[in-house]
Amino acid sequence: AVVGKDHSYDVTEEITVNIPQTLHQIEFAIPSGSFRMRGLTVDGTAFASNISSSGSSVKIVDQQALTTGIHTYTIRYKILEFADRNTAKDIFYFNVLLPEWKQPIGEMNALITFPDDFPVDDIQHYAGQFGAEDTENRLTYKTEKSSGSFSVSGKRIPENYGLSLKAELPDGYWEGALDGVWAIFAMILVMGAAVLVMLVLWII
C-alpha cells in the first residue's frame, strides 16, 4: 500500500491460491468502513464486487481463472479516508490484514510506503485472531526509515487473523482529506427537491 498526504491509500493485493478442484467462484474480503473506495479492479479477470460498510468483498467469476491449480489474482483499489475531528492530533489507522479473512494463509508479505515526513518510528502494530493479541509472534515487522516504509511478513497465518497499524500525528498532518461537506449539501438538495415536488403537487 502507498499512503498519500491526503489520507488516501493506493492498495495492491497479490493473492496466490492453489485451487484443489475447479470452482464456480472464489471470494476475497476487502476493507469496509466509513470511507470511500475508488477504482476497484482485478487485473485481467472478470469479477463482481459487493461494497458495504458492514463487509465488502470481491468475487472472481472468470471460469478460466478458477480451474484446478495455482492462480494469482491482483486486486487494486484506492481508499479515501475522512478527516478526523480531533483538534489535538491526526490519527493514522490502517488494516493490513482483515480479521474477516476466512481462510488460513500459507505465507504473506506486505509493504506499506509512507510520505517523506511520516514518523515511521511512531507506528504501533496490533495483531491477533478474533480480536485477541497474538502471543506467538507469527509476524515479523521491519521499519525502513531511509525509504519511509514498514514491512510485515509471516507464515501459517490462521483464519480470522487481523493486523492493524496505528500512529498519532501532529494535528493538520493530513491535507485535503474528505470532510463530509458533500454529504450535507447532497442532503440539502434532496430535501429541497422533495419540498419543491410537494409544492408543485399542492398547486396542481
Side-chain angles (χ1 to χ4, degrees):
V2 178
V3 179
K5 281 288 290 184
D6 59 347
H7 211 175
S8 67
Y9 312 112
D10 288 297
V11 181
T12 300
E13 296 186 22
E14 190 174 273
I15 306 167
T16 299
V17 180
N18 187 3
I19 300 177
Q21 59 183 14
T22 299
L23 303 174
H24 294 295
Q25 65 180 31
I26 189 170
E27 184 175 6
F28 301 113
I30 55 176
S32 57
S34 56
F35 51 76
R36 284 180 163 182
M37 180 176 285
R38 291 286 183 269
L40 176 62
T41 61
V42 181
D43 291 1
T45 304
F47 69 96
S49 60
N50 175 35
I51 308 299
S52 70
S53 58
S54 58
S56 299
S57 63
V58 169
K59 291 181 181 179
I60 307 300
V61 295
D62 187 344
Q63 294 305 303
Q64 297 299 318
L66 296 169
T67 56
T68 302
I70 296 176
H71 296 271
T72 297
Y73 311 101
T74 302
I75 303 173
R76 305 178 193 271
Y77 52 86
K78 185 183 186 74
I79 290 177
L80 300 170
E81 293 276 9
F82 286 93
D84 62 71
R85 303 303 179 190
N86 191 326
T87 57
K89 58 190 174 183
D90 280 352
I91 299 295
F92 166 76
Y93 189 87
F94 181 58
N95 288 319
V96 179
L97 187 60
L98 301 176
E100 294 89 354
W101 201 267
K102 299 176 182 178
Q103 297 294 330
I105 299 172
E107 181 177 358
M108 70 156 286
N109 295 283
L111 175 66
I112 301 91
T113 303
F114 298 92
D116 293 338
D117 59 347
F118 193 96
V120 291
D121 284 342
D122 295 335
I123 295 176
Q124 304 171 52
H125 50 80
Y126 306 90
Q129 191 178 21
F130 300 108
E133 186 70 13
D134 183 11
T135 58
E136 298 183 15
N137 298 318
R138 299 176 186 274
L139 302 175
T140 301
Y141 310 92
K142 186 177 182 181
T143 300
E144 290 285 353
K145 295 181 65 175
S146 59
S147 61
S149 64
F150 185 90
S151 60
V152 184
S153 60
K155 295 183 178 180
R156 298 181 180 178
I157 310 301
E159 67 277 6
N160 300 113
Y161 188 97
L163 166 63
S164 300
L165 303 183
K166 182 180 179 181
E168 295 184 357
L169 307 170
D171 186 49
Y173 178 86
W174 300 121
E175 302 170 358
L178 298 180
D179 58 11
V181 173
W182 63 273
I184 297 174
F185 284 123
M187 185 178 298
I188 292 174
L189 287 174
V190 170
M191 293 178 64
V195 170
L196 181 60
V197 169
M198 292 175 65
L199 179 62
V200 170
L201 291 175
W202 181 80
I203 293 174
I204 292 174

